[in-house]
Amino acid sequence: MIKHDVVIVGAGLAGLRAAIEARERGVDVAVLSKLHPVRSHSDQAQGGINASLGEDDSWEKHAFDTIKGSDYLADQDAVEVMCKDAPRAIIELEHWGVLFSRSENGRIAQRPFGGAGFPRTCFSADKTGHVLQTTIFEQAQKKGVQIYEEWFATSLVVEDNVCRGLTAIEIVTGEVHAVQAKAVILAAGGAGQIYSKTTNSLSTTGDGIAMAYNAGVPIEDMEFVQFHPTALYGSNILVSEGARGEGGYLVNAQNKRFMKKYAPDKMELAPRDIVSRAIETEIREGRGFANEYVHLDLRHLGEAKINERLPTIRELAIYFAGVDPAKEPIPIQPAQHYTMGGVPTDIDGAAPIKGLYAAGECACVSVHGANRLGGNSLLDTVVFGKRAGAKAAEYVKTASETGFPEMVIRDEQRRIDTLLNRKDSVKASEIKRALGTTMFDKVGIFRQQGDLERAKKNVAALKRQFENVSVIDSSRRFNTSLIETLEVGFELDLAEIIVACALARKESRGAHYRTDHPRRDDAKWLKHSLAIRTVKGPKLSYKPVTITRFQPEERGY
Amino acid sequence: MKTQEASFRILRFNPEKDEKSHHETYRVKIDSRMTILDALEDIKHAQDAALTFRRSCRSGICGSCAMRINGFAKLACKTRVLDEVERHGEVLVEPMENMPVIRDLVADMNPFWSEIDRGSPWLEWDTNLEGSIKENLITDQQQQVSAKLADCIMCGCCFSDCVSRVFDKNFTGPASLAKVQRFVADSRDKVGVKRVPSLVEMGLWSCTHCYFCWSQCPRDVRPVTAISALRALSFRAGDRSHGARHVDAFMSSIERTGMLNEAMLYLKTMGWTTVRDLDLILKMMVKGKAPSPFLKPIPKIDEIRSIVKEGRWGKK
């Protein structure tokens, strides 16, 4: 059996930052990832990472923007921690080798971003995630962090409310392993693939959140799903908020900058929930192109600026949409982008089960509340990744050696064998396609009772179909069909939670917009949703929002 | 959008079932925007669940889906089916070269990663800065070289198609050297040019400048330019390995005579180890096949010399 003090699931920014921290504190740490670390979804972040580095800026202003952006659902103690630590975190990354774009005086440059009262987004052209992920992986290697790459975690092992480790498939051989650990840190990312239209990579399937849910952790705020306003029409490939930060316009089929109507002050740089709804409204009311998309116009920025600041956007648009942004406007439409909810943690990454921690998109601290601001997710990963790594390391130093229930591995092996040998013809890929469409159409940017109820039925039906799912490919070696099947299982669990929480929350807040309850209702709903697994499906409860210095106000931009 | 059918010939190998690899053919309905990855996903989900390949981001940034498409290593998500069909009539898909195969299109990238690791691929940052709240002051201009090389997504395309690696397993490969140069060119790296002397061991001089690593790179990283830059640094730092001597001898010959003196090139490159080949040299001389080491300068040699003076590494 494999044994480590701390095992981290996921090798993106949060996971590797946690690993570096735990390693520095002298504990035996290993990272397990279904992809090689450089393939992680963190790599795809484009626009940037926020910190109040400017002389006239302050962490308080950053915190206020974040909390207002969250529609007051963020826990303010956690936001304070993140915004106070942001400048240190950025400088640390710079010291480690991150190639930030610079201003003329050689300092780290900052660009304006949505919902921010200040240009406080640090960036590396439009490949910030790639540069951060590469650097943090380099430093993890330098520290000698052990990595089990292409290992797929299938379940957490919890006994007496203490986490004992996990089970995982070594993808290359297909072997099922027991991995014993005194502490597990979940840093496995979001769940974007539940939606048919998403900017997320095909691997972003919510594995970490679902594993925690299956282990009995109540999952927080899953109804808050961020839709990014600007995904390339057709392929749903992300077009960074940096494009609007650098001055890009959103234009409808009547050639009007329609954001004037929705956010007269901030225009294109209103928070993402507001811009996505504006675009969707324009399309629904017949002012889109082909009833499907609007235009993001960068032409006035000029070719030189586009090449300097948005080279990837230009390349992606030319390649995937056949449009050169220097010469033509880019066809865009909103697509799922970020999972605000996740495994509930305190400000040190600790989850409600002893020895279990979470960080990054798979966690819900909650710093993003009902709507995350652009540039805050990368920040979340490095700030809370470090904190989770520190806390887990501290915990394992005092935690006693615990047993690992051996029969767990037999059960897991049997479950996987059953999947591999079943001869039914229900395909996971077909379930996934149906799930994605249901979720995007009925649990999307605009929601209402009837649609949500239909979605609930559809998801339940798909869950029943999944009971007879067949992998079809029965080989052990590098069986990607098996992995995809297990992922779809996770997605179904999480979709069920999203629908249940969205049905229950009869108000509109941040990214959760109910056309039948269009107003925010602080009296009844200023609280976090929690969904716990029962045999009858998710059971909901609620917990209060932590408010320290910013009283909820009406949100205008 | 107009649709048509395309033929995919895919190299399959599942060591649990197959003794040898073999091609299988699939027909796929395509439109003008469809990528090779889209088509592979279609085949996997509609025709053959056992077809195995890596993929993740589908937007050319994660580097998972590198494979050989009609003979060249490319990212499947960044290659359009129609372009391939128009050029080759069909789409031949095979796993990357210079690496063993795990299954179907999945290459075992361990040889690639171990080569990357040979270069200590991380910034040796100044740990005195720990706790400092000031960033290093650098301009975009100063970090231009590193930033270009840092675009590398470690997909392995350059390594797969590297002809030098086929013959020289000690050659660390284009991506590895590009990564080293990314740190050498970074003013924050405490080791900096001191990284260079170890590169001779890693096959710095094995590259033949075929430029496949430039043409096959999906991120336009141009590793061969990093190799040239590192060679110049190595040469200036007093590298006298065979590779460095070969370059020196080549340039000396041109400088002296305006022509390539093949005999002297050989003698100067190999030095005293020439004696090992004495037997062969004598045989060549007897058969009149050995080139003469005595050449007369061409007319207007001064013009050649002034060009050499401008371009030559490490000498005035």
Side-chain angles (χ1 to χ4, degrees):
Chain A
M1 181 158 45
I2 294 158
K3 223 162 133 178
H4 296 283
D5 287 340
V6 179
V7 168
I8 298 167
V9 184
L13 285 172
L16 292 180
R17 186 62 190 85
I20 290 171
E21 192 64 20
R23 178 90 185 164
E24 260 175 10
R25 286 160 192 264
V27 300
D28 164 30
V29 55
V31 179
L32 190 141
S33 169
K34 63 178 174 179
L35 305 170
H36 186 282
V38 304
R39 318 272 182 241
S40 298
H41 185 65
S42 297
D43 204 70
Q44 271 155 272
Q46 296 174 347
I49 175 165
N50 296 338
S52 54
L53 298 177
E55 269 162 35
D56 302 327
D57 202 0
S58 68
W59 74 261
E60 289 93 341
K61 287 182 193 166
H62 183 186
F64 173 71
D65 289 341
T66 300
I67 289 159
K68 184 180 170 190
S70 83
D71 223 346
Y72 293 91
L73 191 70
D75 287 315
Q76 298 188 5
D77 55 340
V79 175
E80 285 186 19
V81 164
M82 181 175 82
C83 298
K84 270 185 204 164
D85 197 32
R88 182 209 57 79
I90 298 294
I91 300 300
E92 174 179 81
L93 289 166
E94 194 280 330
H95 290 163
W96 288 0
V98 170
L99 294 147
F100 283 113
S101 296
R102 304 286 177 150
S103 56
E104 267 163 30
N105 58 15
R107 298 201 56 192
I108 295 170
Q110 294 186 289
R111 63 164 52 129
F113 242 47
F118 225 85
R120 68 167 71 91
T121 304
C122 313
F123 58 95
S124 235
D126 54 1
K127 34 202 160 188
T128 315
H130 170 69
V131 175
L132 257 59
Q133 175 69 16
T134 305
T135 301
I136 223 156
F137 174 57
E138 288 160 5
Q139 293 299 315
Q141 273 194 301
K142 184 182 169 189
K143 291 252 177 259
V145 169
Q146 190 177 351
I147 293 170
Y148 294 88
E149 66 192 50
E150 297 188 324
W151 281 49
F152 182 81
T154 59
S155 70
L156 285 175
V157 178
V158 175
E159 230 184 17
D160 309 325
N161 211 38
V162 180
C163 186
R164 315 272 194 207
L166 48 86
T167 59
I169 300 172
E170 182 180 5
I171 298 174
V172 173
T173 61
E175 199 182 330
V176 181
H177 292 274
V179 182
Q180 187 177 347
K182 290 186 199 165
V184 170
I185 304 176
L186 296 171
Q193 280 294 319
I194 293 174
Y195 284 83
S196 57
K197 290 181 185 169
T198 175
T199 63
N200 286 188
S201 69
L202 292 161
S203 312
T204 313
T205 50
D207 313 345
I209 308 171
M211 276 170 33
Y213 179 62
N214 292 338
V217 176
I219 302 300
E220 185 173 340
D221 287 346
M222 286 300 283
E223 66 271 43
F224 298 102
V225 177
Q226 178 161 81
F227 292 83
H228 197 288
T230 60
L232 275 186
Y233 171 62
S235 60
N236 301 305
I237 286 169
L238 176 65
V239 179
S240 168
E241 190 160 303
R244 282 170 288 135
E246 296 294 344
Y249 299 149
L250 288 170
V251 180
N252 65 16
Q254 298 168 346
N255 205 23
K256 287 213 172 77
R257 277 180 76 187
F258 55 85
M259 281 312 296
K260 207 173 188 128
K261 201 161 72 189
Y262 304 90
D265 234 17
K266 290 264 181 218
M267 297 289 284
E268 281 85 356
L269 287 177
R272 289 174 178 172
D273 57 333
I274 292 170
V275 182
S276 286
R277 275 196 294 276
I279 294 172
E280 190 68 14
T281 305
E282 291 297 304
I283 295 169
R284 285 187 184 194
E285 293 179 0
R287 293 184 295 277
F289 297 89
N291 286 325
E292 302 256 10
Y293 60 89
V294 297
H295 278 157
L296 172 62
D297 197 344
L298 305 182
R299 288 174 297 182
H300 56 286
L301 302 180
E303 195 168 343
K305 190 164 188 185
I306 292 173
N307 285 345
E308 184 202 328
R309 292 287 171 89
L310 304 164
T312 314
I313 296 308
R314 186 174 188 195
E315 192 192 327
L316 292 173
I318 290 174
Y319 194 78
F320 290 99
V323 163
D324 181 353
K327 299 186 186 113
E328 297 159 88
I330 312 171
I332 56 93
Q333 111 257 298
Q336 192 284 349
H337 183 60
Y338 189 84
T339 308
M340 263 82 72
V343 180
T345 70
D346 65 15
I347 55 168
D348 291 312
I353 286 177
K354 219 174 162 196
L356 184 66
Y357 301 80
E361 192 172 347
C362 99
C364 183
V365 187
S366 146
V367 283
H368 309 305
N371 173 65
R372 175 175 73 75
L373 290 191
N376 269 351
S377 65
L378 293 181
L379 179 60
D380 172 8
T381 63
V382 291
V383 168
F384 292 102
K386 175 179 154 81
R387 294 177 77 90
K391 201 72 184 179
E394 198 178 291
Y395 167 76
V396 299
K397 283 178 185 166
T398 56
S400 52
E401 183 74 29
T402 55
F404 189 94
E406 292 283 339
M407 79 276 195
V408 167
I409 198 75
R410 272 206 318 272
D411 293 349
E412 198 63 359
Q413 183 73 61
R414 198 171 306 136
R415 182 171 78 101
I416 286 157
D417 288 348
T418 313
L419 277 177
L420 286 175
N421 298 325
R422 195 179 285 144
K423 294 283 177 258
D424 289 286
S425 58
V426 183
K427 284 185 188 170
S429 56
E430 277 162 21
I431 296 178
K432 185 185 170 103
R433 199 170 303 141
L435 177 69
T437 314
T438 283
M439 293 300 284
F440 195 85
D441 293 347
K442 300 189 164 47
V443 202
I445 298 170
F446 290 108
R447 303 165 174 183
Q448 50 110 337
Q449 190 79 13
D451 279 349
L452 292 170
E453 274 164 5
R454 270 186 290 280
K456 189 179 172 180
K457 271 191 202 131
N458 290 358
V459 173
L462 292 171
K463 281 199 90 162
R464 277 196 301 279
Q465 279 185 40
F466 188 76
E467 286 167 16
N468 296 314
V469 76
S470 170
V471 175
I472 304 171
D473 172 14
S474 60
S475 293
R476 305 268 156 189
R477 192 175 178 80
F478 220 98
N479 190 331
T480 53
S481 292
L482 171 65
I483 303 303
E484 283 171 35
T485 304
L486 293 167
E487 287 170 343
V488 172
F490 287 155
E491 289 169 19
L492 286 166
D493 289 336
L494 298 184
E496 195 179 26
I497 306 177
I498 296 172
V499 175
C501 293
L503 252 175
R505 187 175 284 271
K506 293 185 170 51
E507 66 154 354
S508 290
R509 183 184 297 273
H512 172 69
Y513 194 91
R514 294 270 308 241
T515 52
D516 46 356
H517 300 279
R519 303 201 69 79
R520 193 175 87 195
D521 183 354
D522 286 342
K524 281 190 192 146
W525 289 104
L526 185 58
K527 56 189 181 185
H528 297 290
S529 312
L530 290 171
I532 195 155
R533 188 180 187 108
T534 72
V535 282
K536 282 188 258 162
K539 194 176 147 237
L540 305 190
S541 61
Y542 295 90
K543 70 174 183 184
V545 175
T546 308
I547 289 168
T548 56
R549 59 174 78 204
F550 303 107
Q551 286 307 312
E553 297 169 5
E554 195 167 345
R555 189 168 164 250
Y557 288 94
Chain B
M1 216 180 275
K2 231 178 70 190
T3 60
Q4 66 182 82
E5 261 205 354
S7 169
F8 278 73
R9 201 150 54 89
I10 302 178
L11 191 65
R12 305 292 306 271
F13 176 60
N14 178 356
E16 277 178 38
K17 292 184 174 154
D18 307 324
E19 265 177 40
K20 277 197 297 193
S21 58
H22 59 281
H23 289 94
E24 269 177 46
T25 305
Y26 304 88
R27 312 255 338 146
V28 182
K29 206 176 261 173
I30 64 157
D31 61 40
S32 61
R33 299 224 70 83
M34 192 179 211
T35 64
I36 301 289
L37 179 62
D38 294 333
L40 291 176
E41 289 271 330
D42 258 25
I43 295 170
K44 186 172 179 69
H45 294 142
Q47 301 185 44
D48 188 348
L51 178 65
T52 303
F53 49 92
R54 291 191 183 97
R55 86 288 180 270
S56 186
C57 79
R58 78 208 144 74
S59 57
I61 189 77
C62 81
S64 298
C65 63
M67 53 188 73
R68 301 248 297 181
I69 298 164
N70 285 319
F72 294 96
K74 295 176 180 184
L75 294 181
C77 72
K78 251 187 128 181
T79 306
R80 247 192 297 270
V81 180
L82 197 62
D83 294 344
E84 292 296 320
V85 172
E86 279 174 355
R87 232 175 139 167
H88 301 273
E90 62 158 8
V91 187
L92 173 63
V93 192
E94 296 164 311
M96 283 195 287
E97 294 278 348
N98 282 329
M99 297 169 233
V101 176
I102 291 174
R103 182 178 171 184
D104 292 349
L105 303 171
V106 177
D108 173 1
M109 290 190 72
N110 279 319
F112 172 77
W113 296 119
S114 344
E115 291 302 339
I116 299 288
D117 291 349
R118 279 172 88 186
S120 304
W122 47 76
L123 189 86
E124 287 292 353
W125 57 286
D126 182 357
T127 46
N128 293 324
L129 291 172
E130 189 146 17
S132 150
I133 50 154
K134 290 256 180 293
E135 73 263 50
N136 296 288
L137 298 180
I138 310 170
T139 62
D140 281 336
Q141 188 69 30
Q142 286 167 324
Q143 63 184 11
Q144 207 174 18
V145 171
S146 294
K148 177 89 179 153
L149 296 169
D151 279 347
C152 172
I153 56 173
M154 299 278 153
C155 60
C157 284
C158 61
F159 190 82
S160 162
D161 286 14
C162 176
V163 292
S164 297
R165 174 74 189 186
V166 175
F167 299 102
D168 182 359
K169 293 289 178 259
N170 184 50
F171 178 45
T172 194
S176 171
L177 290 171
K179 185 96 182 171
V180 172
Q181 169 67 353
R182 176 253 172 273
F183 296 113
V184 169
D186 193 322
S187 59
R188 297 170 295 182
D189 191 62
K190 289 286 113 193
V191 190
V193 288
K194 282 179 263 159
R195 290 172 182 264
V196 174
S198 64
L199 300 180
V200 173
E201 288 290 299
M202 288 164 63
L204 177 63
W205 299 96
S206 300
C207 165
T208 60
H209 280 170
C210 74
Y211 278 68
F212 271 6
C213 63
W214 178 324
S215 65
Q216 290 324 109
C217 177
R219 303 292 302 156
D220 193 31
V221 170
R222 310 176 182 180
V224 63
T225 59
I227 296 173
S228 296
L230 288 170
R231 284 181 172 181
L233 286 173
S234 187
F235 191 84
R236 286 195 200 110
D239 178 358
R240 299 307 295 149
S241 65
H242 286 155
R245 285 154 56 148
H246 180 84
V247 169
D248 196 31
F250 195 104
M251 292 306 279
S252 296
S253 168
I254 302 294
E255 191 172 29
R256 195 156 300 162
T257 65
M259 286 182 288
L260 188 58
N261 185 331
E262 290 178 316
M264 288 310 286
L265 182 72
Y266 175 76
L267 292 170
K268 281 186 170 177
T269 300
M270 301 312 284
W272 65 269
T273 55
T274 307
V275 294
R276 284 193 217 141
D277 296 333
L278 213 54
D279 183 37
L280 181 69
I281 292 167
L282 287 172
K283 273 190 205 158
M284 284 172 73
M285 285 174 81
V286 169
K287 299 267 184 192
K289 300 270 185 193
S292 163
F294 307 106
L295 293 181
K296 254 195 255 164
I298 58 166
K300 294 191 186 171
I301 183 67
D302 288 348
E303 290 178 13
I304 296 283
R305 284 175 187 160
S306 66
I307 294 171
V308 171
K309 211 186 233 171
E310 285 297 310
R312 193 155 183 187
W313 296 340
K315 288 199 178 172
K316 271 178 266 158

